[in-house]
Amino acid sequence: MAKAEIRRFIKDIQTRFPDTVPLMEKHESWALTFRMEEFANLTTFAFNEHRLSEAEKHLSYMSQKLDSATLAEFEYIDTYYVEHLFWKATADGIKSGWPLIPNNLKKLYIDFHGKEPKARL
């Protein structure tokens, strides 16, 4: 049942954000965790490329979804979206992206990573 719920969640993301489709389709249809990580990558790339309006739409959607998430959706948002944010970020992407993160998502990020993202040397 959780897999069907997550498939609907990912389908909703693909419908709202069609740019995710080619990224997600690089992975097998059963690789739901990797597909969610691709949405995090797309958000991070938007930070890096100063497409901040696009990034804000992703973040707003995920923040609102978190507020009403089922346990399975919460796990995917926390583990495969938030924890993965900034994984491929540039220093400038971190600088422009971190202030955009809604508080409920920031809390998840800091709870896992222990601190705000920092540029890799």
Side-chain angles (χ1 to χ4, degrees), residues 89-107:
T90 63
D92 199 40
I94 292 168
K95 183 178 177 182
S96 62
W98 182 251
L100 302 178
I101 307 293
N103 288 335
N104 61 347
L105 299 179
K106 270 185 183 175
K107 180 181 180 332

Side-chain angles (χ1 to χ4, degrees), residues 14-33:
Q14 290 176 322
T15 300
R16 291 171 187 264
F17 308 102
D19 290 354
T20 62
V21 173
L23 294 172
M24 289 183 177
E25 288 184 350
K26 293 187 307 185
H27 304 284
E28 299 291 335
S29 61
W30 50 262
L32 303 175
T33 59

Side-chain angles (χ1 to χ4, degrees), residues 9 36 62-63 65-66 69 72-83 105 108:
F9 183 19
M36 183 61 78
M62 293 302 267
S63 176
K65 186 70 172 175
L66 183 64
E73 291 168 337
F74 179 91
E75 177 187 1
Y76 268 68
I77 293 167
D78 182 25
T79 307
Y80 306 110
Y81 182 78
V82 173
E83 289 178 15
L105 299 179
L108 294 177

Side-chain angles (χ1 to χ4, degrees), residues 41-52 54-55 58 96:
N41 288 338
L42 189 64
T43 305
T44 301
F45 297 153
F47 296 151
N48 292 346
E49 298 164 8
H50 297 284
R51 292 180 285 117
L52 301 182
E54 178 183 334
H58 299 176
S96 62

Side-chain angles (χ1 to χ4, degrees), residues 54-69:
E54 178 183 334
E56 285 180 308
K57 289 175 185 172
H58 299 176
L59 295 166
S60 176
Y61 170 79
M62 293 302 267
S63 176
Q64 289 175 15
K65 186 70 172 175
L66 183 64
D67 288 340
S68 63

